[in-house]
């Protein structure tokens, strides 16, 4: 039963793929011949609704605006603004209003541009459908299709609804939009599920069903509409994207959870909504942390206000209220949201230059905490294109395609010919002999070393490459062998694909059409000049008949004739097991031999050896027949598809992207585990995973339970309970035959293990997991609009390696956010200490005299602090940023080191300013706190105003210089670069490296002078006046502050305090979340990687290989297993 939309639910006794056609016809009360009557169609339309996807509606501007206003820091600023206006301080209130407006507008615009999810899903519905009603076939809009309609589909059609097929003729549908499977699915009317459990049979395996929004790539068929609208499979994806995913215990059902559940559930829902509104339960870790910080600071502001009122005996005059506002403003970093938002916008611009589009600003900081990436295979890790990588010709050897960067270009690359392995047994014996020889070379004592299988394969590849290999350029095709010629003729002629070269954008480009499998074979034939068009037009081949591919027998055949040959030729291709059953012989010419049990086993060995390389293997055969076969002859194909001669095996490959393996390595170095979640077959998925380095080729070095958990079919994974999944020693690194629900379940399993995960994908089937992942990463070129809309970031070049750029930028942003938050909040702590101590300075009227006026504080917080904070946000990444584990998302930016630094530096800052104020007020010359000096200037306030000016200048300079100090949390400001070996005093070089920060500090320092000396601005606005000798204590205390900071950093370095929390250049690299070195244990050659690129890669990885060889040898000599931890 499907999820219910706005109309009546569409249900059946069992899933339609488990029911017979007769049962469905009876259930829907429809005739296969005449279809529904007009009255029935109208009735069903009213009963089930229109056949279209119903979303929850587009994003409402007012809801997005409310979301921005409900931001925690914004709410705090709103209250501060209201209080300012309440005491008629319009200048201060106006500035805070401007800050609020700026932040709300930026956030609102970004969110409004991002909300487009359901529009893309609605566009997937097919525009029209051919149905039978009242005995007539008519074409209607697809929205009018109802359950019970008899629908006809043909090649090129988009399936309008979920259909139970009852008639098919070579029907194949591309269901990648639902399953992620690259190859079209052949439909079978007589398909029978092995069990009655739908969990055992995924969408892609239900061969008697055609699904809405999939496309027909071949053949034709008729079916009964069983599901429409939101009840279809793609509707289920839409529902999962828009449905609410409630937390546990939020149900209101008495039946399921007891009589008190409605009360309990309602209370928890209200709590969730309050937390969401306040930003305490939703958002990225940094957003939640900042929300909590805002409310903690707001609570502190209220407490400080109460203290101010209490010191003044709760005689709350305007002067007392102004002092309370000053303390409240002092403790709240007003510019934090503006700095954070603008810094992220700048980071987003930088990401765009690195081929990454950020849809949600918060994703930038979230990327820094990613511990696991769950990636689709087809089109993400691989190119999504089938290529004939190897061809085994009996008696000749194996032809391999090398050095080709264009899968559809038959002119690119080279063909190499090497001897074929005699049998699997011989291959294993050769490996064993090589291992023993290697042991003897490595140890004179004859110790046995556990050499990884991939190392043996690499050595074997080197040895084979050193032998006399026949290598020829593609375009030359010298000395064409008869055996290869026969193989190519059969591959090209038993083929419906086309390969052509056409002029586009002023260049000649190769274009292909047809089934991916046939395209791969046709391109391979074109490499030798044996394309179908060439054979028919230039070499006299003429097609007589075609027996289309039949999924029930897994083969296709064609009948051809050629001038000069008396007999007709039958060319056949198909599944290896099916074809060899029809073969009486193997090979041609002098290599021909009869099919015997031994020969058959040899062929199966060759097939398995190719399959283990991630290749899809097809058999190519032919037969000469003297039987007269004419076009449109009514002849049984089984009668002529007998006594074939096997010409060879073709290994088809979906090549990984060039950058994938290196990207996996970089993820491992950064402490990130990569998981492959794909719709492909388990053996293919495992082979590709080995090639790109996601799993090791030699699983034997792992514990048995760990090795068993590495690769799992989705059917096994889905059957496991959450407890069983959690009990696994490690979550699977490869899940095959993956359905959308499987991917979502994997995300939940990672969350239960306290992992912070990213999901990459390009198809509609990836959208739910993209949405539920902590960071959703979509592909921009080949990705669907739905995937892009569901994601947080989009890769514009579909390059998996761009994820590394995104994570690096995310980590840089996280480090910089930590630095400027420390910078901003430290100044707040210093100001609060100064103002609280200032409560003790009371004038003749008994009112406390503030050492800093409210607008001095606002000037310092909003202008003096903001631009250096922007500069800290533009700091370059540290040298080891991608050589450390992800940061702890629970702690976020507020580590104990940062919190302690805030208190220590804030205390030093506040103490220095307080000393200056006391020295000037009670030191040399006239002293006294005057009268009513908080409100305006008079002759009695001269000393107080001078003291404020000195404190204002001192605090400004301290805050500016602290920005340079906070470029590193542990290293001295005078030696920031740990790699410096040439400069004796690198201070000026280090501060100049960030020119924005440099000029922010210089200009901010100079701006103190006009603020102190400009008439009226100084006395009427800032409530201070020009000074003379008072500059001396201010400068002296600045030097004291720098000395205090340097001393605290030296103590941290000497004692090792907080070293485990270090996030910059002094931190040592740490291994990833598992001890498996993903990306470092694969030696397989990628089809499209050139030899030069591989040689460069070998030079880079030689030290890694040596390290791993030593580690493996040590483990083997001590009988140790390689552990895996999660």
């Amino acid at each position: 039963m499907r999820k219910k939309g706005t109309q009546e639910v569409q249900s059946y006794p069992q899933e339609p793929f488990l029911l017979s056609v007769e049962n469905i016809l009876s259930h829907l009360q429809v005739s296969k011949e005449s279809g529904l009557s007009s009255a029935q169609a109208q009735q069903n339309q009213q009963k089930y609704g229109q056949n279209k996807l119903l979303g929850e509606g587009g994003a409402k501007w007012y809801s997005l605006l409310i979301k921005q206003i409900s931001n925690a820091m914004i709410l705090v600023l709103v209250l501060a603004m209201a209080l300012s206006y309440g005491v008629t301080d319009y200048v201060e209130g106006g500035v805070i209003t401007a800050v609020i407006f700026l932040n709300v507008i930026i956030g609102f615009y970004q969110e409004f541009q991002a909300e487009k999810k359901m529009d893309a899903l609605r566009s997937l519905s097919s525009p029209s459908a051919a149905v039978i009603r009242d005995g007539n076939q008519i074409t209607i809009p697809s929205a009018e299709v109802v359950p019970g309609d008899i629908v006809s589909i043909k090649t090129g059609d988009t399936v309008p609804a979920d259909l139970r097929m009852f008639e098919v003729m070579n029907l194949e549908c591309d269901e990648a939009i639902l399953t992620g499977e690259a190859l079209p699915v052949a439909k079978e009317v007589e398909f029978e599920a092995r069990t009655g459990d739908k969990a055992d049979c995924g969408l892609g395996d239900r061969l008697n069903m055609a699904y809405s929004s999939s496309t027909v790539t071949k053949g034709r068929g008729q079916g009964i509409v069983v599901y429409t609208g939101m009840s279809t499979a793609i509707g289920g994806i839409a529902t999962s994207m828009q449905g609410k995913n409630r937390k546990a215990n939020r149900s209101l059902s008495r039946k399921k959870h007891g009589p008190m559940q409605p009360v309990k559930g309602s209370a928890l829902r209200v709590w969730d909504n309050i937390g969401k509104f306040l930003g305490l339960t939703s958002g990225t870790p940094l957003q939640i942390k900042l929300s909590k910080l805002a409310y903690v600071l707001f609570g502190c502001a209220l407490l400080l206000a109460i203290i101010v009122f209490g010191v003044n005996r709760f005689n709350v005059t305007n002067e007392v209220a102004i002092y309370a506002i000053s303390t409240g403003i002092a403790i709240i970093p007003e510019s934090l949201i503006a700095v954070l938002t603008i810094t992220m916008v700048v980071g987003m611009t930088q990401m765009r230059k690195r081929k990454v589009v950020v849809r949600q600003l918060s994703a930038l900081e979230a990327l820094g905490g990613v511990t696991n990436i769950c990636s689709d295979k087809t089109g993400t890790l691989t190119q999504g294109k089938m290529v004939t990588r190897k061809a085994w010709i009996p008696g000749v050897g194996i032809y391999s395609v090398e050095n080709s960067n264009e899968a559809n270009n038959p002119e690119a690359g080279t063909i190499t010919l090497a001897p074929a392995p005699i049998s699997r047994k011989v291959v294993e014996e050769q490996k064993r002999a090589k291992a023993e020889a290697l042991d003897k070379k490595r140890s004179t004592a004859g110790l046995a070393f556990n050499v990884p299988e991939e190392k043996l394969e690499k050595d074997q590849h080197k040895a084979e490459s050193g032998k006399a290999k026949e290598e020829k350029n593609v375009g030359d095709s010298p000395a064409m062998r008869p055996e290869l010629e026969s193989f190519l003729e059969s591959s090209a002629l038993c083929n419906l694909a086309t390969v052509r070269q056409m002029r586009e954008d002023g260049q000649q480009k190769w274009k292909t059409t047809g089934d991916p499998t046939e395209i791969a074979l046709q391109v391979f034939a074109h490499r030798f000049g044996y394309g179908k068009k060439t054979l028919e037009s230039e070499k006299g081949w003429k097609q007589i008949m075609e027996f289309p591919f039949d999924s029930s027998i897994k083969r296709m055949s064609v009948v051809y004739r050629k001038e000069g040959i008396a007999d007709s030729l039958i060319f056949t291709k198909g599944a290896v097991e099916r074809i060899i059953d029809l073969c009486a012989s193997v090979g041609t010419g002098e290599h021909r031999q009869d099919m015997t049990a031994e020969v058959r086993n040899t062929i199966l060995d060759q097939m398995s050896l190719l399959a283990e390389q991630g290749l899809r293997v097809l058999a190519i055969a032919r037969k000469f027949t003297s039987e007269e076969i004419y076009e449109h002859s009514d002849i049984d194909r089984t009668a002529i598809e007998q006594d074939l001669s096997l010409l060879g095996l073709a290994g088809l490959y979906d090549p990984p992207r060039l950058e994938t393996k290196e990207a996996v390595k970089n993820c491992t170095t950064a402490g990130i585990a990569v998981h492959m979640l794909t719709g492909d077959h388990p053996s293919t998925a495992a082979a590709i995973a080995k090639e790109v380095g996601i799993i090791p080729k030699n699983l034997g070095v792992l514990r048995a339970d760990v090795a068993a958990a590495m690769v799992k079919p989705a059917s096994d994974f889905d059957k496991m309970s959450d407890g069983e999944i959690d009990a696994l020693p490690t979550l699977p690194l490869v899940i095959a035959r993956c359905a959308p629900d499987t991917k979502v379940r994997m995300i939940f399993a990672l969350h239960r293990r306290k992992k912070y995960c990213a999901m990459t994908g390009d198809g509609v089937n990836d959208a739910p997991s993209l949405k539920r992942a902590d960071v959703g990463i979509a592909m921009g070129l080949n990705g669907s609009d739905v995937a892009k809309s569901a994601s947080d970031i989009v890769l514009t070049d579909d390059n998996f390696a761009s994820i590394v750029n995104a994570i690096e930028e995310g980590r840089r942003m996280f480090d910089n956010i930590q630095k400027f938050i420390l910078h901003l909040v430290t100044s707040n702590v210093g100001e609060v200490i100064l103002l609280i101590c200032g409560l003790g300075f009371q004038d003749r009227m008994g009112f406390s005299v503030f050492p800093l006026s409210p607008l001095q504080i606002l000037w310092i917080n909003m202008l003096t602090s903001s631009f250096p904070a922007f500069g800290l946000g533009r700091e370059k990444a540290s040298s080891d940023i991608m050589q450390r584990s992800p940061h702890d998302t629970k702690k976020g930016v507020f580590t104990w080191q940062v919190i302690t630094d805030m208190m220590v530096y804030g205390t030093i800052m506040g103490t220095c300013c307080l000393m200056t104020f006391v020295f000037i007020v009670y030191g040399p010359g006239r002293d006294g706190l005057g009268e009513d000096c908080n409100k305006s200037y008079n002759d009695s306030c001269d000393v107080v105003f001078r003291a404020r000016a000195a404190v204002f200048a001192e605090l400004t300079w301290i805050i500016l210089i602290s920005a340079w100090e906070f470029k590193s949390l542990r290293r001295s400001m005078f030696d920031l670069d740990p790699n410096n070996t040439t400069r004796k005093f690198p201070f000026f070089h280090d501060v100049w490296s960030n020119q924005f920060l440099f000029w922010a500090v210089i200009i901010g320092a100079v701006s103190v002078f006009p603020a102190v000396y400009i008439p009226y601005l100084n006395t009427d606005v800032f409530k201070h006046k020009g000074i003379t000798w008072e500059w001396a204590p201010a400068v002296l205390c600045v030097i004291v502050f720098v000395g205090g900071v340097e001393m605290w950093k030296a103590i941290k370095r000497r004692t090792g305090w907080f070293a485990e929390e270090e996030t910059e250049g002094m931190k040592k690299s740490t291994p990833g979340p598992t001890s498996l070195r993903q990306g470092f244990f694969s030696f397989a050659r990628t089809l499209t990687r050139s030899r030069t690129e591989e040689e460069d890669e070998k030079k880079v990885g030689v030290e890694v290989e040596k390290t791993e060889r030593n580690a493996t040898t040590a483990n083997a000599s001590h009988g140790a297993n390689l552990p895996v931890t999660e």
Side-chain angles (χ1 to χ4, degrees):
M1 189 167 69
R2 305 281 174 151
K3 290 188 176 182
K4 184 175 181 179
T6 58
Q7 304 292 329
E8 184 173 333
V9 69
Q10 301 171 25
S11 61
Y12 298 87
Q14 288 181 288
E15 284 290 323
F17 76 92
L18 296 172
L19 296 173
S20 67
V21 174
E22 290 72 20
N23 288 338
I24 295 178
L25 290 171
S26 175
H27 180 80
L28 295 172
Q29 299 180 354
V30 62
S31 166
K32 191 163 54 174
E33 288 74 24
S34 60
L36 293 173
S37 65
S38 299
Q40 284 179 306
Q42 185 176 2
Q43 181 182 359
N44 287 355
Q45 186 87 61
Q46 296 173 351
K47 185 177 181 180
Y48 300 117
Q50 286 195 319
N51 176 37
K52 56 185 180 180
L53 302 179
L54 305 175
E56 292 179 335
K60 304 295 189 299
W61 66 268
Y62 50 83
S63 64
L64 295 178
L65 187 60
I66 292 174
K67 179 180 177 181
Q68 294 301 317
I69 295 175
S70 65
N71 177 282
M73 197 69 72
I74 292 291
L75 292 179
V76 174
L77 290 177
V78 168
L79 294 176
M81 176 192 68
L83 189 58
S84 298
Y85 286 133
V87 296
T88 66
D89 194 340
Y90 298 112
V91 175
E92 183 177 323
V95 173
I96 297 176
T97 302
V99 173
I100 294 172
F101 181 78
L102 176 65
N103 282 278
V104 169
I105 291 301
I106 291 175
F108 169 76
Y109 178 78
Q110 183 69 19
E111 290 287 333
F112 187 76
Q113 292 297 316
E115 293 293 336
K116 302 294 181 182
K117 291 181 182 178
M118 294 312 299
D119 291 340
L121 275 173
R122 294 189 191 99
S123 68
L124 293 173
S125 297
S126 55
S128 62
V131 302
I132 297 177
R133 288 186 181 174
D134 297 318
N136 300 316
Q137 181 164 324
I138 59 175
T139 301
I140 61 173
S142 62
E144 298 179 11
V145 172
V146 296
D149 266 327
I150 305 299
V151 174
S152 299
I153 53 177
K154 63 183 184 303
T155 301
D157 285 351
T158 299
V159 181
D162 285 4
L163 309 178
R164 169 60 163 92
M165 305 307 299
F166 61 81
E167 179 183 326
V168 298
M169 179 60 67
N170 304 315
L171 180 65
E172 293 186 9
C173 296
D174 181 357
E175 296 175 351
I177 196 170
L178 294 168
T179 65
E181 175 61 57
L183 300 176
V185 179
K187 299 302 177 181
E188 299 178 9
V189 173
E190 303 301 328
F191 165 78
E192 291 184 4
R194 295 181 179 178
T195 66
D197 187 0
K198 67 177 182 179
D200 291 333
C201 191
L203 291 177
D205 296 325
R206 302 172 187 179
L207 303 184
N208 55 9
M209 296 288 296
Y211 291 103
S212 176
S213 295
S214 63
T215 56
V216 180
T217 60
K218 184 188 296 185
R220 59 180 179 81
Q222 278 191 313
I224 314 162
V225 174
V226 291
Y227 290 122
T228 59
M230 296 299 288
S231 294
T232 61
I234 197 168
I237 294 177
T239 302
S240 68
M241 288 182 64
Q242 62 181 239
K244 294 182 179 179
N245 184 31
R246 295 198 182 278
K247 300 179 181 178
N249 298 321
R250 269 62 175 178
S251 172
L252 302 181
S253 173
R254 287 190 178 92
K255 294 182 179 180
K256 293 183 178 180
H257 305 285
M260 294 300 295
Q261 183 60 33
V263 177
K264 181 180 177 181
S266 298
L268 290 175
R269 288 188 184 187
V270 171
W271 175 256
D272 289 341
N273 289 332
I274 293 175
K276 183 178 180 180
F277 179 79
L278 297 178
L280 298 175
T281 59
S282 63
T284 65
L286 179 59
Q287 289 175 319
I288 295 174
K289 291 285 184 182
L290 290 181
S291 296
K292 292 179 179 178
L293 172 66
Y295 292 115
V296 168
L297 294 179
F298 179 63
C300 293
L302 293 178
L303 179 62
L304 292 175
I306 293 173
I307 292 174
V308 172
F309 296 153
V311 169
N312 291 276
R313 300 177 181 83
F314 291 94
N315 180 18
V316 185
T317 63
N318 281 351
E319 288 75 11
V320 173
I322 290 173
Y323 202 107
I325 292 173
S326 298
T327 58
I329 292 175
I331 200 171
I332 297 173
E334 290 89 352
S335 62
L336 177 58
I337 292 179
V339 173
L340 179 65
T341 303
I342 294 175
T343 300
M344 285 189 165
V345 169
V346 173
M348 180 182 68
T349 303
Q350 293 298 318
M351 293 288 280
R352 188 171 296 166
K353 295 178 181 178
R354 304 186 74 176
K355 309 298 184 182
V356 177
V357 174
V358 179
R359 299 186 64 256
Q360 302 287 346
L361 286 175
S362 57
L364 278 173
E365 54 89 9
L367 279 166
V370 168
T371 61
N372 297 72
I373 297 177
C374 297
S375 175
D376 191 17
K377 180 186 76 69
T378 303
T380 307
L381 294 169
T382 66
Q383 299 178 17
K385 299 176 181 178
M386 300 296 290
V387 179
T388 301
R389 181 171 180 177
K390 292 183 181 293
W392 173 71
I393 311 297
V396 177
I398 295 180
Y399 288 86
S400 301
V401 178
E402 295 185 355
N403 304 326
S404 172
N405 294 316
E406 300 177 59
N408 289 339
N409 186 354
E411 294 181 348
T414 57
I415 301 296
T416 61
L417 174 62
I422 299 175
S423 66
R424 173 174 291 278
K425 182 178 180 181
V426 172
V427 171
E428 293 174 352
E429 289 177 351
Q430 290 174 348
K431 288 183 179 179
R432 192 178 305 110
K434 290 180 184 296
E436 292 174 355
L438 188 58
D439 287 343
K440 292 179 180 179
K441 289 182 180 180
R442 293 186 175 184
S443 174
T444 58
L447 296 178
F449 289 83
N450 184 15
V451 182
E453 182 181 346
E454 64 270 22
K455 174 58 182 171
L456 291 177
E457 292 187 1
K458 181 182 180 183
D459 293 340
Q460 180 182 6
H461 177 76
K462 286 182 178 179
E464 291 175 352
S465 298
K467 293 181 181 180
K469 250 189 190 181
E470 244 183 272
E471 182 170 317
K472 35 189 193 304
N473 291 327
V474 172
D476 298 338
S477 296
M480 172 63 67
R481 296 171 179 265
E483 297 87 354
L484 175 61
E485 183 178 18
S486 300
F487 179 87
L488 296 174
E489 287 174 344
S490 183
S491 300
L493 296 175
C494 187
N495 197 311
L496 302 180
T498 62
V499 177
R500 64 190 184 281
Q501 193 174 31
M502 58 184 297
R503 193 166 188 82
E504 185 177 285
D505 298 330
Q507 297 179 342
Q508 291 291 331
K509 294 185 178 181
W510 288 93
K511 298 293 183 179
T512 59
T513 59
D515 179 84
T517 302
E518 297 189 328
I519 289 174
L521 293 172
Q522 197 67 253
V523 170
F524 184 74
H526 271 71
R527 292 182 181 275
F528 297 88
Y530 274 67
K532 184 176 181 178
K533 184 176 181 180
T534 302
L535 293 175
E536 291 182 337
S537 62
E538 298 180 11
K539 299 197 175 183
W541 288 98
K542 181 179 180 182
Q543 184 173 354
I544 304 301
M545 273 196 74
E546 175 185 324
F547 297 99
F549 179 82
D550 189 332
S551 57
S552 62
I553 57 177
K554 306 294 184 185
R555 65 179 182 267
M556 169 190 177
S557 296
V558 293
V559 181
Y560 269 83
R561 285 181 185 163
K562 181 182 180 182
E563 295 181 7
I565 300 178
D567 295 335
S568 300
L569 270 83
I570 300 168
F571 298 114
T572 303
K573 73 171 186 290
V576 178
E577 298 88 342
R578 301 295 183 94
I579 296 297
I580 61 177
D581 287 340
L582 304 177
C583 289
S585 63
V586 178
T588 62
E590 61 182 13
H591 296 114
R592 184 184 182 280
Q593 53 184 323
D594 294 335
M595 179 70 72
T596 62
E598 182 179 358
V599 172
R600 176 187 173 91
N601 290 334
T602 300
I603 296 170
L604 293 177
D605 282 346
Q606 296 294 338
M607 179 194 72
S608 61
L609 289 171
L610 292 175
E612 288 169 3
Q613 300 176 45
L615 307 181
R616 181 188 181 200
V617 186
L618 295 179
I620 308 296
R622 76 175 182 183
K623 172 188 176 181
F624 287 89
T625 179
S626 57
E627 184 176 355
E628 291 292 333
I629 302 176
Y630 301 97
E631 190 173 357
H632 305 302
S633 298
D634 186 12
I635 186 173
D636 187 1
R637 65 184 301 173
T638 58
I640 63 172
E641 291 176 333
Q642 294 289 341
D643 299 326
L644 302 175
S645 179
L646 183 69
L647 301 177
L649 304 178
L652 310 183
Y653 178 59
D654 185 6
R657 295 183 179 275
L658 293 177
E659 302 83 0
T660 296
K661 182 181 172 183
E662 192 66 28
V664 173
K665 282 185 180 181
N666 291 334
C667 288
T668 299
T669 306
I672 301 169
V674 180
H675 303 257
M676 177 194 290
L677 279 64
T678 176
D680 279 342
H681 189 274
S683 61
T684 303
I688 295 297
K690 290 177 180 178
E691 181 159 358
V692 299
I694 292 177
I695 60 175
K697 283 201 167 186
N698 184 15
L699 294 175
V701 300
L702 306 177
R703 295 197 311 262
D705 58 338
V706 173
M710 282 287 151
V711 181
K712 281 191 175 294
S715 57
D716 293 347
F717 188 79
D718 291 340
K719 288 179 181 178
M720 301 174 70
S721 64
D722 289 347
E724 290 173 331
I725 293 175
D726 295 340
L728 292 172
T730 180
L731 287 176
L733 294 180
V734 177
I735 298 183
R737 292 299 187 195
C738 205
D741 291 342
T742 310
K743 296 183 179 182
V744 173
R745 202 161 179 227
M746 181 65 171
I747 297 292
F748 291 156
L750 286 166
H751 286 169
R752 291 196 299 273
R753 296 194 180 212
K754 310 303 180 184
K755 303 298 183 182
Y756 201 69
C757 53
M759 169 69 192
T760 68
D762 53 7
V764 175
N765 60 305
D766 296 322
S769 46
L770 284 173
K771 183 180 179 183
R772 284 173 170 79
D774 299 296
V775 179
I777 306 174
M779 301 296 148
L781 292 177
N782 297 318
S784 66
D785 290 339
V786 177
K788 296 174 189 175
S789 299
S791 66
D792 298 305
I793 66 175
V794 178
L795 308 181
T796 59
D797 59 353
D798 284 12
N799 192 338
F800 188 84
S802 295
I803 297 174
V804 178
N805 296 336
I807 291 176
E808 180 181 352
E809 183 67 19
R811 291 189 176 190
R812 184 191 70 83
M813 291 291 298
F814 180 86
D815 287 356
N816 293 347
I817 288 170
Q818 193 175 55
K819 292 173 185 176
F820 71 64
I821 286 179
L822 173 62
H823 175 259
L824 293 173
V825 178
T826 294
S827 63
N828 295 132
V829 173
E831 292 165 4
V832 168
I833 291 175
L834 177 63
L835 289 175
I836 291 299
C837 293
L839 288 172
F841 303 116
Q842 295 188 344
D843 62 11
R844 301 168 188 171
M845 304 296 294
F847 292 112
S848 297
V849 178
F850 41 66
L852 284 174
S853 69
L855 285 182
Q856 280 181 318
I857 296 172
L858 202 60
W859 176 276
I860 291 173
N861 287 357
M862 295 301 299
L863 296 179
T864 302
S865 296
S866 297
F867 291 103
F870 291 144
L872 286 173
R874 298 167 68 95
E875 275 289 290
K876 296 178 181 179
S878 61
S879 58
D880 75 331
I881 197 166
M882 292 301 290
Q883 297 174 358
R884 63 178 190 239
S885 298
H887 61 254
D888 188 347
T889 55
K890 290 183 179 179
K891 293 181 180 179
V893 295
F894 297 102
T895 62
W896 283 114
Q897 176 175 213
V898 171
I899 294 172
T900 305
D901 286 351
M902 287 177 183
M903 302 307 299
V904 172
Y905 299 149
T907 301
I908 298 174
M909 186 181 295
T911 302
C912 288
C913 293
L914 185 63
M915 289 170 56
T916 300
F917 187 81
V918 171
F919 180 76
I920 295 174
V921 171
Y922 297 106
R926 189 177 65 171
D927 60 8
L929 295 171
E931 182 177 339
D932 201 20
C933 295
N934 286 352
K935 190 172 184 180
S936 60
Y937 177 78
N938 58 65
D939 291 339
S940 66
C941 298
D942 185 73
V943 176
V944 172
F945 271 48
R946 286 176 175 271
R948 284 179 186 157
V951 171
F952 171 75
E954 176 187 328
L955 183 59
T956 299
W957 287 345
I958 285 176
I959 291 174
L960 292 172
I961 292 177
S962 71
W964 281 342
E965 284 282 6
F966 298 159
K967 283 165 71 76
S968 174
L969 302 187
R970 301 181 73 85
R971 297 191 64 86
S972 169
M973 176 177 67
F974 303 101
D975 187 19
L976 292 172
D977 186 2
N979 299 320
N980 174 53
T981 57
T982 58
R983 298 179 179 86
K984 293 182 179 180
F985 189 70
F987 170 76
F988 295 105
H989 175 271
D990 292 340
V991 298
W992 179 251
S993 63
N994 186 340
Q995 295 187 29
F996 185 97
L997 177 59
F998 176 83
W999 289 112
V1001 172
I1002 297 300
I1003 294 173
V1006 173
S1007 68
V1008 167
F1009 296 99
V1012 170
Y1013 289 111
I1014 292 178
Y1016 301 108
L1017 176 67
N1018 53 7
T1019 56
D1020 294 351
V1021 177
F1022 290 118
K1023 295 182 174 58
H1024 64 219
K1025 64 177 299 185
I1027 57 177
T1028 55
W1029 65 270
E1030 291 87 355
W1031 288 109
V1035 173
L1036 179 62
C1037 284
V1038 171
I1039 297 174
V1040 172
F1041 173 79
V1042 173
V1045 174
E1046 289 295 327
M1047 184 178 297
W1048 174 245
K1049 286 184 177 182
I1051 291 173
K1052 288 196 295 182
R1053 293 195 300 269
R1054 178 68 63 90
T1055 61
W1057 292 347
F1058 312 113
E1060 70 279 359
E1061 295 179 349
E1062 182 59 22
T1063 60
E1064 49 190 51
M1066 295 176 63
K1067 182 174 180 179
K1068 293 182 179 180
S1069 301
T1070 55
T1074 70
S1075 59
L1076 283 174
R1077 298 281 290 169
Q1078 284 186 316
F1080 288 93
F1081 34 61
S1082 172
F1083 299 97
R1085 167 170 287 141
T1086 301
L1087 170 69
T1088 53
R1089 187 183 294 276
S1090 67
R1091 290 174 180 263
T1092 302
E1093 291 171 323
E1094 289 195 355
E1095 291 299 327
D1096 292 339
E1097 183 183 274
K1098 290 174 186 175
K1099 293 177 183 178
V1100 175
V1102 65
E1103 293 301 324
V1104 176
E1105 181 185 336
K1106 290 180 180 178
T1107 302
E1108 293 204 336
R1109 184 188 305 134
N1110 293 337
T1112 305
T1113 302
N1115 286 339
S1117 61
H1118 291 85
N1121 288 323
L1122 180 63
V1124 175
T1125 58
E1126 275 286 324

